Amino acid sequence: MSNKPVTEALKRVLADTYGLMVKTQNYHWNVEGPQFPGLHALFMTQYSELFLAVDLIAERIRALGEKAPGSYGEFSKLSKIADGNGDFDADQMVKDLYDGNVTVLASIKKAFAAATKAGDDSTVDLLTQRIGVHDKAAWMLRSSLPKQTRVKLAV
């Protein structure tokens, strides 16, 4: 039942999602400043959602007959998400997480195209849901930034 183009794209989505989860948790632990209460809570909400998502994505890969990557080494080879920097100020963290969500969205859209081409409705459904989650996360992060920074971001 394996469809290599779909599973290979899903592996990249899994790795990017996992990388974003770790980065978001890092920033949850290390954010400081006057925005701390709100950002601490926002980051926790987002990394908790990402934690659940990695399981769904990995299980979809398994349902398609492939092994899911599950190590830092495998994820680092597949992911375009760079490590977070706990020394960033709050606005840098928010911007970095916004960029991370945009990166994951690009990965999801490639997997979506592969799943659509393959007629894999279950994967299309999963990825449609993921697109909505990352669109909302990007919006929330973008809205948390000062106006002069927001206007420079891609939509």
Side-chain angles (χ1 to χ4, degrees), residues 98-140:
Y98 169 83
D99 291 341
N101 276 278
V102 169
T103 297
V104 174
L105 275 166
S107 180
I108 291 170
K109 288 177 182 179
K110 287 179 184 174
F112 184 91
T116 300
K117 184 176 179 180
D120 182 346
D121 294 337
S122 293
T123 300
V124 167
D125 182 54
L126 170 65
L127 296 173
T128 299
Q129 292 174 39
R130 298 306 313 146
I131 289 168
V133 168
H134 288 282
D135 277 342
K136 182 176 180 180
W139 161 65
M140 295 184 90

Coordinates of all heavy atoms in Angstrom, one line a residue, residues 98-140:
Y98 N 7.0 32.1 13.9 CA 6.2 32.4 12.7 C 6.9 31.9 11.4 O 6.3 31.2 10.6 CB 6.1 34.0 12.5 CG 5.5 34.4 11.2 CD1 4.1 34.3 11.0 CD2 6.3 34.7 10.1 CE1 3.6 34.7 9.8 CE2 5.8 35.0 8.9 CZ 4.4 35.0 8.7 OH 3.9 35.3 7.5
D99 N 8.2 32.1 11.3 CA 8.9 31.6 10.1 C 8.9 30.1 10.1 O 8.8 29.5 9.0 CB 10.4 32.1 10.2 CG 10.6 33.6 9.9 OD1 9.6 34.2 9.3 OD2 11.6 34.1 10.2
G100 N 9.0 29.4 11.3 CA 8.9 28.0 11.4 C 7.6 27.5 10.9 O 7.5 26.4 10.2
N101 N 6.5 28.1 11.2 CA 5.2 27.7 10.8 C 5.0 27.9 9.3 O 4.4 27.0 8.6 CB 4.1 28.5 11.5 CG 3.7 27.8 12.8 OD1 3.0 26.9 12.9 ND2 4.3 28.4 13.9
V102 N 5.6 28.9 8.7 CA 5.6 29.1 7.3 C 6.4 28.0 6.6 O 6.0 27.4 5.6 CB 6.2 30.5 6.9 CG1 6.4 30.6 5.4 CG2 5.2 31.6 7.4
T103 N 7.5 27.6 7.2 CA 8.3 26.5 6.6 C 7.5 25.2 6.7 O 7.5 24.4 5.7 CB 9.6 26.3 7.4 OG1 10.4 27.5 7.2 CG2 10.4 25.2 6.9
V104 N 6.9 24.9 7.8 CA 6.1 23.7 7.9 C 4.9 23.7 6.9 O 4.6 22.7 6.2 CB 5.5 23.4 9.3 CG1 4.6 22.2 9.4 CG2 6.7 23.2 10.3
L105 N 4.3 24.9 6.7 CA 3.2 25.0 5.7 C 3.7 24.6 4.3 O 3.0 23.9 3.6 CB 2.6 26.4 5.7 CG 1.6 26.7 6.8 CD1 1.3 28.2 6.9 CD2 0.3 25.9 6.4
A106 N 4.9 25.1 4.0 CA 5.4 24.8 2.6 C 5.6 23.3 2.5 O 5.3 22.7 1.4 CB 6.7 25.5 2.4
S107 N 6.1 22.6 3.5 CA 6.3 21.2 3.5 C 5.0 20.5 3.4 O 4.9 19.5 2.6 CB 7.1 20.8 4.8 OG 7.3 19.4 4.9
I108 N 4.0 20.9 4.1 CA 2.7 20.3 4.1 C 2.1 20.4 2.7 O 1.5 19.5 2.2 CB 1.8 20.9 5.1 CG1 2.2 20.5 6.6 CG2 0.3 20.5 4.9 CD1 1.5 21.3 7.7
K109 N 2.3 21.6 2.1 CA 1.7 21.8 0.8 C 2.3 20.9 -0.3 O 1.6 20.5 -1.2 CB 1.7 23.3 0.4 CG 0.7 24.1 1.2 CD 0.8 25.6 1.0 CE -0.2 26.3 1.9 NZ -0.2 27.7 1.7
K110 N 3.6 20.6 -0.2 CA 4.2 19.7 -1.1 C 3.7 18.3 -0.9 O 3.4 17.5 -1.8 CB 5.7 19.7 -0.9 CG 6.4 20.9 -1.4 CD 7.9 20.9 -1.2 CE 8.5 22.2 -1.7 NZ 9.9 22.3 -1.3
A111 N 3.5 17.9 0.4 CA 2.9 16.6 0.7 C 1.5 16.5 0.2 O 1.0 15.5 -0.3 CB 3.0 16.3 2.2
F112 N 0.7 17.6 0.4 CA -0.7 17.7 -0.1 C -0.7 17.4 -1.6 O -1.6 16.7 -2.0 CB -1.2 19.1 0.3 CG -2.7 19.2 0.0 CD1 -3.7 18.9 0.9 CD2 -3.1 19.7 -1.3 CE1 -5.0 19.1 0.6 CE2 -4.4 19.9 -1.6 CZ -5.4 19.6 -0.6
A113 N 0.2 18.1 -2.3 CA 0.2 17.9 -3.8 C 0.4 16.4 -4.1 O -0.2 15.8 -5.0 CB 1.2 18.8 -4.4
A114 N 1.4 15.8 -3.4 CA 1.7 14.4 -3.7 C 0.5 13.5 -3.4 O 0.2 12.6 -4.1 CB 2.9 14.0 -2.9
A115 N -0.1 13.8 -2.2 CA -1.3 13.0 -1.8 C -2.5 13.2 -2.7 O -3.2 12.2 -3.1 CB -1.7 13.3 -0.4
T116 N -2.7 14.4 -3.2 CA -3.8 14.7 -4.2 C -3.5 13.9 -5.5 O -4.4 13.2 -6.0 CB -3.9 16.2 -4.4 OG1 -4.2 16.8 -3.2 CG2 -5.0 16.5 -5.4
K117 N -2.3 14.0 -6.0 CA -1.9 13.3 -7.2 C -2.1 11.8 -7.0 O -2.6 11.1 -8.0 CB -0.5 13.6 -7.6 CG -0.1 13.0 -8.9 CD 1.3 13.4 -9.3 CE 1.7 12.8 -10.6 NZ 3.1 13.1 -11.0
A118 N -1.8 11.2 -5.9 CA -2.0 9.8 -5.6 C -3.4 9.4 -5.3 O -3.7 8.2 -5.2 CB -1.1 9.4 -4.4
G119 N -4.3 10.4 -5.1 CA -5.7 10.0 -4.8 C -5.8 9.5 -3.4 O -6.8 8.8 -3.0
D120 N -4.9 9.9 -2.5 CA -4.9 9.5 -1.1 C -5.7 10.4 -0.2 O -5.2 11.4 0.4 CB -3.4 9.4 -0.6 CG -3.3 8.9 0.8 OD1 -4.3 8.9 1.5 OD2 -2.1 8.7 1.2
D121 N -7.0 10.2 -0.2 CA -7.9 11.1 0.5 C -7.7 11.2 2.0 O -7.9 12.3 2.6 CB -9.4 10.6 0.3 CG -9.8 10.8 -1.2 OD1 -9.2 11.6 -1.9 OD2 -10.8 10.1 -1.6
S122 N -7.2 10.1 2.6 CA -7.0 10.2 4.1 C -5.8 11.1 4.4 O -5.9 11.9 5.3 CB -6.7 8.8 4.6 OG -7.8 8.0 4.5
T123 N -4.8 11.0 3.6 CA -3.6 11.9 3.8 C -4.0 13.4 3.4 O -3.6 14.3 4.1 CB -2.4 11.5 3.0 OG1 -2.1 10.2 3.4 CG2 -1.2 12.4 3.2
V124 N -4.8 13.6 2.4 CA -5.3 14.9 2.0 C -6.0 15.5 3.2 O -5.8 16.7 3.5 CB -6.1 14.9 0.7 CG1 -6.9 16.2 0.5 CG2 -5.2 14.6 -0.5
D125 N -6.9 14.7 3.8 CA -7.7 15.2 4.9 C -6.8 15.6 6.1 O -7.0 16.7 6.7 CB -8.7 14.1 5.4 CG -9.6 14.6 6.5 OD1 -10.2 15.6 6.4 OD2 -9.6 13.9 7.5
L126 N -5.8 14.7 6.4 CA -4.9 15.1 7.5 C -4.2 16.4 7.2 O -4.0 17.2 8.1 CB -3.9 13.9 7.7 CG -2.7 14.2 8.6 CD1 -3.2 14.4 10.1 CD2 -1.7 13.0 8.6
L127 N -3.7 16.5 6.0 CA -2.9 17.7 5.7 C -3.7 18.9 5.6 O -3.2 20.0 5.9 CB -2.1 17.4 4.4 CG -1.1 16.3 4.4 CD1 -0.5 16.0 3.1 CD2 0.0 16.6 5.5
T128 N -5.0 18.8 5.2 CA -5.9 19.9 5.2 C -6.0 20.5 6.6 O -6.0 21.7 6.8 CB -7.3 19.6 4.6 OG1 -7.1 19.1 3.2 CG2 -8.2 20.7 4.6
Q129 N -6.2 19.6 7.5 CA -6.3 20.0 8.9 C -5.0 20.6 9.4 O -5.1 21.7 10.1 CB -6.6 18.8 9.8 CG -8.0 18.2 9.6 CD -8.3 16.9 10.3 OE1 -7.8 16.7 11.4 NE2 -8.9 16.0 9.7
R130 N -3.9 20.1 9.0 CA -2.6 20.7 9.4 C -2.4 22.1 8.9 O -1.9 23.0 9.5 CB -1.4 19.8 9.0 CG -1.4 18.4 9.6 CD -1.5 18.3 11.2 NE -0.5 19.2 11.8 CZ -0.8 19.9 12.9 NH1 -1.9 19.6 13.6 NH2 0.1 20.7 13.4
I131 N -2.8 22.3 7.6 CA -2.7 23.6 7.0 C -3.5 24.6 7.9 O -3.0 25.7 8.2 CB -3.2 23.6 5.6 CG1 -2.2 22.8 4.7 CG2 -3.4 25.0 5.0 CD1 -2.7 22.5 3.3
G132 N -4.7 24.2 8.3 CA -5.5 25.1 9.1 C -4.9 25.5 10.4 O -4.9 26.6 10.8
V133 N -4.3 24.5 11.0 CA -3.6 24.7 12.3 C -2.4 25.6 12.2 O -2.2 26.6 12.9 CB -3.1 23.3 12.9 CG1 -2.2 23.6 14.1 CG2 -4.3 22.5 13.3
H134 N -1.6 25.4 11.1 CA -0.4 26.3 11.0 C -0.8 27.7 10.5 O -0.1 28.6 10.8 CB 0.6 25.6 10.0 CG 1.3 24.4 10.7 ND1 2.3 24.6 11.7 CD2 1.0 23.1 10.7 CE1 2.6 23.4 12.1 NE2 1.9 22.5 11.5
D135 N -1.8 27.8 9.6 CA -2.3 29.1 9.3 C -2.7 29.9 10.5 O -2.3 31.1 10.7 CB -3.5 29.0 8.3 CG -3.1 28.8 6.9 OD1 -2.0 29.1 6.5 OD2 -4.0 28.4 6.1
K136 N -3.4 29.3 11.4 CA -3.9 29.9 12.6 C -2.7 30.3 13.5 O -2.6 31.4 14.1 CB -4.9 29.1 13.4 CG -5.4 29.8 14.6 CD -6.5 29.0 15.3 CE -7.0 29.7 16.6 NZ -8.0 28.9 17.3
A137 N -1.7 29.3 13.7 CA -0.6 29.6 14.5 C 0.2 30.8 14.0 O 0.7 31.6 14.7 CB 0.3 28.3 14.6
A138 N 0.4 30.8 12.7 CA 1.2 31.9 12.0 C 0.5 33.2 12.3 O 1.1 34.2 12.6 CB 1.4 31.6 10.5
W139 N -0.9 33.2 12.1 CA -1.6 34.4 12.4 C -1.5 34.9 13.8 O -1.3 36.1 14.1 CB -3.1 34.2 12.0 CG -4.1 35.2 12.6 CD1 -4.1 36.5 12.4 CD2 -5.0 34.9 13.6 NE1 -5.1 37.1 13.1 CE2 -5.7 36.1 13.9 CE3 -5.4 33.8 14.3 CZ2 -6.7 36.2 14.9 CZ3 -6.4 33.9 15.3 CH2 -7.0 35.1 15.5
M140 N -1.6 34.0 14.8 CA -1.5 34.4 16.2 C -0.1 34.9 16.5 O 0.1 35.9 17.2 CB -1.8 33.2 17.1 CG -3.3 32.8 16.9 SD -3.7 31.5 18.1 CE -4.2 32.5 19.4

